[in-house]
Every structure is written in C-alpha cells, then in structure tokens.
Amino acid sequence: ADEFRKGVEKAAARELKGNPGLRRKLEIFDLLLATARGLVVDRVLTRGFDSIDHYDAREWLARHGSRSTDSSLVRGMYDLVFAYTNGELEKPSLGAGTAVRTLLRMILTYKGSVVYKMQAGMGEIVFSPMFKSFQAAGVKFKFFHKVVNLGVGADGRSIDSIDIDVQARVKPEIEAQGGYEPLYTVGGIPCWPDTPFFGQLVDGDRLRAELDRAGRSFESCWWTGCEEKLKLRRGADFDEVVLGIPVGALPFIATELMDANDRFRAMVENVPTVQTQAFQLWMNRSVEEMGWLAKEPAIVGAYTEPIDTWADLSHLIGREAWLPELGVKNIAYFCTAMPCPDTAPLEDPDYPEQQEAAVKRGVLEFLETSTAPLWPNVSDEKTGGLDWEVLVDPQGRTGKERFEAQYWCANVDPSDRYVLSPKGTTKYRLRADDSGFANLYLAGDWTYNGINLGCVEAATVSGLQAGRAIGGYPKVIFGEEAEIQPAAAQAAQAAL
C-alpha cells in the first residue's frame, strides 16, 4: 500500500501546483487507502467499529499512513458534528469507530443523495409532522411543564416520582377544546412560533410581561417562574417512563439516578456536550450576484475559523413571508461550536446575555474580515469585509446597523447543547432498554443507538428502540446495527 501511494503521488507531483481539484482527489485517495488499511490491520470488520473508538479519528488515520489528516475533508468532518471539547478549536476529538462507521454508511448506503436539503425549517419538516401524527393517534401533550427532578424508589432500581414545575396553565375553555395548540400555518405548513400563544394561557398578558421584563422565555433554564408544582407518583400517574430529555440537562434533574446507579452516573459524566452558535443573513443579492462561483447551492465546511460552516438556503425564500419590495434573494445559514464550560452555569444569571453578546461580536468581526472568498462581488478586497447594504433591513438602517435585522443565537441551555462523540466515550452510552432502572427507558442521540452521533437520525432510531423495549415494535429498525453482520464482515475482510 505504501509503495502504491508513493507511485501515485510521484506521478501526480508535477501536476499538483495550481490544481486544487487534483490535490483534493489525492487527499480522497490517501484517506480511503488509510481507512482500508486500518480496517484490515485492526480487523475492524470482525471486531467491530467500537474496537477502535479509543482512538481519535485523526489519530487512527495517521496511524495507518494518512498524510491528509489536516485536509479540509477531515476538518469538515469534525466541523459537521462540532467535535471540539468545550468548543475549543485546539481540542478536536471524535471517536475513530464512530467516524469511520458513519462515513462508510454515508458513502455506501445512501439513497439518491448523500445529503438532502430540507424544504422548510427542521421544526416544520421534521417535528411538526411527528407532533401532528402523535396528536392524531391520541397522545396527550402537556406544554409548559418543566421536569425538575426524577425520584428513585426505595429499592434503588425504579423511578418512583417525577417533580414538575408548571410554568403556565392553559385556559379551561382551551383545554375543553383539546388543549393548547402550539402551531400556526405559514404557506400551508404547520409552524412553531418563536413565542407562545399567550391568549391560550391563564393570565397570559401577565406572563408575557414578566418574561419580557426578564428577557427570558419559558424554554430558558434561567427562567424559574412557576405557577404550580406537581409530583407525579408511580402507580397513580405513570407506570413506565421514557427519558427523552437531552443528556446535557441530566446533571440538573437526575442526581438521584446518578447516586443510585454507577453506570448511569458514568454516562452522564462521560458523554459530553458543547455549546453552539449560529446566525442567519437575509440579503438582497443572489449568491451568483455576490460572486459565488459554484453552480450548485453551497454547503461549505472547514471554512476559516471560528465560523466554519455555511449553507446557502435561498430555496427557502418562498417559504418565508417577506414583502416583495424588500427584495430578499439570498438566505445564508452559519453555525459553529462555541467555547464553553463542561455544563451550563445556571448559577450565573447573566450568562445567556453574555454569550449572546459574544456571538454578536464574533459574527460582526467575521463579516468585517472573512466574506471575500465566499462573496467577492460584495466584499472589500483589502479588508475582506461585507458590504452592509446587501443585508435586508425592513427598517432601512444604514451600514453595520443593518445587521440588527438579522438573526443570531448562542445555544446555552442544557437541553440545547450538542452531544459529542469524543474518543473513548462510546462505551459509556447506555442503550434504550438498559438504563439500570426497571421502569425507565432512554431516548435521544446521546444513547447507544448504532449511530452514536448528534443528529435527528440517531434520536429517531433511539426513540424507536425505546418503543420496541416497551411494546415489542418495531422488530426491525433500519440504521440501528452498529456493526457489520458476521457473514458479511468475514467476506469483506477476505476481499480486503
């Protein structure tokens, strides 16, 4: 393999200068060769991908001869899953087994395309249909109920109580009509609003005013308002419990479980999460007018740090209710990991505002220095800064002030933090049916589910696994197999 690599590199050496396409092909060749070699040498196909998860993906590739571990392809893989400990770019970590298994699935098992773009927001394309389906099936939803503690029974092996803060009460007449309705329709699509429908709530005007004064929302863990406290009891209010609350929130609500079960504690303490940041721009020039040369709509990773990921989602303009005279022609989404502590510091009342301000400062600096490679026609050649006039602003402000009409956020709440898959951590993930408590089942992308990465696919597989553990259905869940089946593994090993 080494001699083959050297021969290819020697043959291509004269053509590399000024030929990024050829360089990229050689990087792909190098990474595939190292992966194939590693699969054989480490007997991954028979021992399982988890057998190499104690290596970092870069470390494992280099161990098997790759010289492209700092290529944009590899960096893009880390950027895609925010794989940076505490959001620090100098601390990348992604389990090799998890990374290789995911890449092989993407390359070998995709249907139609490796990546699809959703035709509206994820809330509308993924979660609205799920909610409507469950609602039609008779599932009852209780909004504005915040779980604050899971209580372990005297036996130490079951969930006996669930403590809940009721943040708001739904008006009796609304309850009589079927309960709180969270969705409204835009362009024929059921959408989630950015604030609750206070008109459906008891004392809704008062609650709205209190939240506005505090600069908070019901979703914020820094909001402690409570209209009523509930304690649900096993046998009276519930029998089985599905814990779908993200692992980042468990240190705050599941301390009794952590004290009662060492494996549960190990999972909570060793499956880390990271804060992320994002911003969106609406512009009055198309990407072509701005100078983007690629023919296809862009999804860009491994861009200049700290803002490393951009997606052109201009195809969503028709889904948004912009006035024609504003001339919206381009929607740009950016996201990246964000430096943060191990867990959300709920004791600091100013933390959300501080992080939101940090995102704004970072985004403005990025827009003032780093847009020229993406949009050369609307960026200053010397500074690399964006022409602010391309930003859509319904208020008609000028210069940098037009940014105030855009969107930015710091995802700081425990349940908003992104679950990571660093080297050596997969072994701590628990399966949906292996919580350590007799009546507790787990669901989320933080469980051991066969994908083991932060994504909606992993969360969906995990939810199906929890359902099967309780009711026996579905028997087959596509995507849950973490390893290649023995017969196929032996045939592949022999072929390699």
Side-chain angles (χ1 to χ4, degrees), residues 32-49 52 60 64 100-101 104 108 484 492-493 496:
L32 290 176
L33 189 62
T35 300
R37 180 176 180 174
L39 292 175
V40 173
V41 171
D42 291 342
R43 300 180 64 185
V44 175
L45 298 182
T46 53
R47 292 176 176 171
F49 291 98
I52 60 169
W60 185 79
H64 293 291
V100 174
R101 178 171 54 226
L104 290 178
L108 301 176
I484 296 175
Q493 188 79 23
L496 289 169

Side-chain angles (χ1 to χ4, degrees), residues 72-73 75-77 79-80 299-304 308-311:
S72 59
L73 292 168
R75 288 188 289 115
M77 176 174 66
D79 293 346
L80 179 67
I299 299 178
V300 173
Y303 190 56
T304 183
D308 51 41
T309 303
W310 161 53

Side-chain angles (χ1 to χ4, degrees), residues 282-359:
W282 291 265
M283 292 172 278
N284 54 32
R285 307 274 188 89
S286 69
V287 287
E288 293 81 10
E289 292 172 331
M290 294 171 69
W292 179 249
L293 298 177
K295 295 180 181 180
E296 298 294 329
I299 299 178
V300 173
Y303 190 56
T304 183
E305 300 295 357
I307 310 295
D308 51 41
T309 303
W310 161 53
D312 169 23
L313 296 182
S314 300
H315 66 286
L316 299 183
I317 293 173
R319 298 294 189 188
E320 299 185 358
W322 291 100
L323 295 174
E325 56 267 29
L326 292 173
V328 178
K329 295 183 179 181
N330 182 356
I331 304 178
Y333 281 42
F334 290 84
C335 64
T336 188
M338 187 175 184
C340 61
D342 289 336
T343 57
L346 300 187
E347 70 283 356
D348 182 353
D350 299 321
Y351 188 76
E353 287 76 19
Q354 293 168 354
Q355 296 303 290
E356 203 82 5
V359 171

Side-chain angles (χ1 to χ4, degrees), residues 232-288:
L232 306 183
R233 293 289 189 183
R234 184 183 185 187
D237 303 299
F238 67 88
D239 295 305
E240 313 289 344
V241 178
V242 177
L243 178 58
I245 296 172
V247 69
L250 299 189
F252 305 102
I253 67 168
T255 54
E256 290 189 35
L257 280 70
M258 295 168 67
D259 291 340
N261 187 287
D262 290 340
R263 290 178 64 241
F264 193 93
R265 172 180 289 278
M267 177 192 67
V268 174
E269 293 180 347
N270 291 283
V271 177
T273 60
V274 68
Q275 220 171 263
T276 61
Q277 56 183 312
F279 67 98
Q280 297 171 23
L281 306 176
W282 291 265
M283 292 172 278
N284 54 32
R285 307 274 188 89
S286 69
V287 287
E288 293 81 10

Side-chain angles (χ1 to χ4, degrees), residues 144 166-169 198 201-213 216 218 223 225-227:
F144 314 110
V166 180
Q167 300 172 309
R169 292 185 293 265
F198 289 99
L201 305 180
V202 175
D203 293 331
D205 290 340
R206 172 181 61 81
L207 291 170
R208 189 205 315 262
E210 290 176 357
L211 289 166
D212 287 347
R213 281 196 298 271
R216 294 281 184 265
F218 285 128
W223 172 254
C226 178
E227 301 291 294

Side-chain angles (χ1 to χ4, degrees), residues 217-232:
S217 68
F218 285 128
E219 289 85 357
S220 173
C221 278
W222 280 265
W223 172 254
T224 57
C226 178
E227 301 291 294
E228 178 185 357
K229 290 186 176 292
L230 294 180
K231 182 180 284 289
L232 306 183

Side-chain angles (χ1 to χ4, degrees), residues 17-274:
K17 189 175 181 180
N19 192 336
L22 178 59
R23 174 179 55 79
R24 180 64 54 84
K25 289 182 176 67
L26 285 175
E27 289 172 349
I28 294 173
F29 167 75
D30 171 79
L31 293 168
L32 290 176
L33 189 62
T35 300
R37 180 176 180 174
L39 292 175
V40 173
V41 171
D42 291 342
R43 300 180 64 185
V44 175
L45 298 182
T46 53
R47 292 176 176 171
F49 291 98
D50 289 352
S51 67
I52 60 169
D53 221 51
H54 58 289
Y55 294 111
D56 177 67
R58 276 191 171 112
E59 176 188 8
W60 185 79
L61 288 167
R63 183 171 179 263
H64 293 291
S66 174
R67 301 173 186 175
S68 305
T69 56
D70 197 40
S71 66
S72 59
L73 292 168
V74 175
R75 288 188 289 115
M77 176 174 66
Y78 281 71
D79 293 346
L80 179 67
V81 291
F82 306 101
Y84 300 96
T85 303
N86 295 118
E88 298 177 22
L89 299 175
E90 64 275 14
K91 295 181 180 179
S93 186
L94 176 60
T98 300
V100 174
R101 178 171 54 226
T102 300
L103 287 175
L104 290 178
R105 275 181 165 165
M106 290 177 68
I107 294 170
L108 301 176
T109 68
Y110 70 87
K111 302 293 184 181
S113 178
V114 175
V115 177
Y116 285 93
K117 282 190 174 182
M118 286 178 284
Q119 299 305 299
M122 179 173 280
E124 287 66 51
I125 292 298
V126 177
F127 300 112
S128 289
M130 285 186 177
F131 170 74
K132 299 295 284 185
S133 297
F134 290 138
Q135 192 179 51
V139 175
K140 294 182 179 179
F141 291 86
K142 291 289 185 180
F143 293 93
F144 314 110
H145 282 54
K146 178 181 177 182
V147 175
V148 294
N149 186 63
L150 299 173
V152 176
D155 60 2
R157 293 177 295 179
S158 60
I159 305 302
D160 190 58
S161 63
I162 303 173
D163 292 310
I164 293 174
D165 284 355
V166 180
Q167 300 172 309
R169 292 185 293 265
V170 178
K171 290 180 177 178
E173 61 269 27
I174 300 295
E175 286 285 15
Q177 296 170 10
Y180 180 81
E181 175 51 55
L183 302 176
Y184 71 115
T185 300
V186 178
I189 297 178
C191 297
W192 299 88
D194 59 348
T195 58
F197 295 116
F198 289 99
Q200 299 184 41
L201 305 180
V202 175
D203 293 331
D205 290 340
R206 172 181 61 81
L207 291 170
R208 189 205 315 262
E210 290 176 357
L211 289 166
D212 287 347
R213 281 196 298 271
R216 294 281 184 265
S217 68
F218 285 128
E219 289 85 357
S220 173
C221 278
W222 280 265
W223 172 254
T224 57
C226 178
E227 301 291 294
E228 178 185 357
K229 290 186 176 292
L230 294 180
K231 182 180 284 289
L232 306 183
R233 293 289 189 183
R234 184 183 185 187
D237 303 299
F238 67 88
D239 295 305
E240 313 289 344
V241 178
V242 177
L243 178 58
I245 296 172
V247 69
L250 299 189
F252 305 102
I253 67 168
T255 54
E256 290 189 35
L257 280 70
M258 295 168 67
D259 291 340
N261 187 287
D262 290 340
R263 290 178 64 241
F264 193 93
R265 172 180 289 278
M267 177 192 67
V268 174
E269 293 180 347
N270 291 283
V271 177
T273 60
V274 68

